[in-house]
Amino acid sequence: MHDRVKTGTDRELVRSYPYRSACPSTAWAELVESASAEIFLAGYTNYFFWTQVPRFAETIRRKAGSGCRVRFLVGDPDGAVTRQRRQPRQPVGLPLRRRGPGHAASGAPRRA
């Protein structure tokens, strides 16, 4: 089984949390600050970056200005998927993913 589990610094899944609030508050700032090549934020509730990560807007501006690719994927607030996500559901893990040196990514939990 061990040969099926990816280990080392290039592994994608670093940790998994059942809810964003269970994730240490410093993790998001550390991921954004450590990224040098790409920051990709995908989800329906990314607004928390502006409220919980100190100087987030300035950091994103600085990162983009230094050549870091910054992308946001947002959901349509009137779309069917968004309406479905508003329904109560079983909690799933919220992964913190790392795609290699200089990359940070966060994403909405996937449904099983």
Side-chain angles (χ1 to χ4, degrees):
M1 180 67 172
H2 183 64
D3 36 317
R4 292 185 184 182
V5 176
K6 190 173 184 182
T7 60
T9 59
D10 65 335
R11 66 186 185 260
E12 259 192 61
L13 185 61
V14 177
R15 287 186 181 65
S16 179
Y17 299 96
Y19 304 99
R20 184 179 68 234
S21 61
C23 178
S25 61
T26 57
W28 301 107
E30 290 169 4
L31 282 169
V32 170
E33 193 57 49
S34 68
S36 59
E38 181 176 27
I39 297 171
F40 177 43
L41 303 174
Y44 293 90
T45 57
N46 287 328
Y47 62 84
F48 80 91
F49 280 96
W50 280 265
T51 62
Q52 294 181 1
V53 176
R55 299 174 307 283
F56 180 69
E58 292 83 3
T59 301
I60 291 295
R61 249 185 243 110
R62 178 173 43 83
K63 294 286 183 174
S66 68
C68 183
R69 183 178 181 187
V70 177
R71 299 185 301 156
F72 291 89
L73 176 65
V74 295
D76 177 0
D78 298 322
V81 173
T82 306
R83 282 193 304 275
Q84 182 182 17
R85 288 181 54 84
R86 290 182 187 138
Q87 300 301 316
R89 61 187 173 124
Q90 186 69 23
V92 294
L94 175 63
L96 281 182
R97 288 174 283 174
R98 182 173 176 213
R99 296 183 0 181
H103 291 78
S106 76
R110 291 186 180 187
R111 294 185 137 183

